[in-house]
Amino acid sequence: MKINIKSLVGKLPLRVLFVLSLVPCIGLTSFSAHAQTIQFEYDLKITADPVKRADYLKQSGESPSPYEQVFNLVKGSMSVATIVDKVDLRKDQYHINSTGTLGSVLATVLADQKLLRDSVGAVTKDGMLTNTYQEKRGNTELLIAKVEKSLVNFYKVSSRSPPTGNAPFTGRLYDMLTVGYQFIGRELPTKSVALPVTDGRSLKTYTLVRGEAWDFPFDGGKVRAIRYYKTTSKDDTATFEVWFSEKEHIPLRSVIGLNAQYGATIQVDLRKIPAM
């Protein structure tokens, strides 16, 4: 049985994939007053509790899926992947290309497959708004979300084929790549912010609440950052928080605590703050 990077994110909830979009890093090259290319890189670490997951499966009667092997390979806490995003920003449009690569140990064990994502859309006063989002996880089918009038249509393999579903929306639409870059060049929200996000197969809205400020230990020093966190409920017990730097408005760290269904915590850390 082959397990690819989909094992890390493919069968987890949308809220887990949301984390992967929130941590930029490394390098800034300006081409003109209205165009720049930025490369972002971050580390993905998992802290897993296979016993908790096994107990849940036993109680629920569910069968373990392929990604279980990933958590079984993680002993305590382990860095498992690197995500590199190449972001091209123009005056009124953007293009983001992303590649997720397993670390050397897991790449050998799990066939060295990748998470590939791509997003294009418009740059507006409301941020980067999605037109087309694509995602391919290892050997799985290409997923496509495409805005067509007041709907976002979902496709597999090709947008020339009939859509597999759709979701109506009004106003803004973001995706798994754009959510983390929304506040570059804009003010951080002073109150709660609702983010309608697509992962290529559905559309969900997440609300982040502004929390406390903190002098965040980072890269051998301290950086002032502001915490945003997701509220929980009886039906959604997973926790999520992200620390945005007060100066650059980029995420320094994002942490998601999964519920007993998954028995794991995922943390992503910025490697280096670029000159903005």
Side-chain angles (χ1 to χ4, degrees), residues 52-127:
K52 182 181 290 187
R53 175 60 174 166
D55 288 344
Y56 174 85
L57 291 172
K58 183 177 180 180
Q59 294 174 9
S60 66
E62 294 182 17
S63 300
S65 50
Y67 78 88
E68 306 296 326
Q69 188 172 340
V70 173
F71 291 140
N72 290 335
L73 291 171
V74 175
K75 306 302 180 183
S77 183
M78 180 178 177
S79 294
V80 298
T82 297
I83 308 294
V84 176
D85 295 346
K86 294 182 179 180
V87 181
D88 183 38
L89 296 174
R90 305 288 169 172
K91 181 179 179 180
D92 57 1
Q93 61 184 350
Y94 75 86
H95 179 198
I96 307 175
N97 183 265
S98 176
T99 301
T101 305
L102 291 167
S104 58
V105 175
L106 289 182
T108 299
V109 177
L110 304 178
D112 192 27
Q113 303 214 9
K114 302 180 186 301
L115 169 66
L116 304 175
R117 297 175 294 169
D118 192 89
S119 175
V120 295
V123 176
T124 76
K125 62 180 180 61
D126 295 317

Side-chain angles (χ1 to χ4, degrees), residues 14 133 145 152 154 173-176 196-203:
L14 176 60
Y133 174 74
V152 53
F154 305 111
L173 177 68
Y174 307 113
D175 61 56
M176 304 309 301
V197 181
T198 181
D199 63 345
R201 68 179 72 199
S202 64
L203 176 62

Side-chain angles (χ1 to χ4, degrees), residues 216-249:
F216 195 92
F218 185 82
D219 196 24
K222 289 188 176 181
V223 176
R224 189 74 167 174
I226 299 174
R227 176 176 176 255
Y228 288 80
Y229 62 92
K230 181 182 76 67
T231 56
T232 59
S233 66
K234 181 179 179 180
D235 297 326
D236 182 9
T237 60
T239 60
F240 172 72
E241 64 180 50
V242 55
W243 293 89
F244 285 101
S245 64
E246 191 174 59
K247 180 180 179 181
E248 299 87 359
H249 302 173

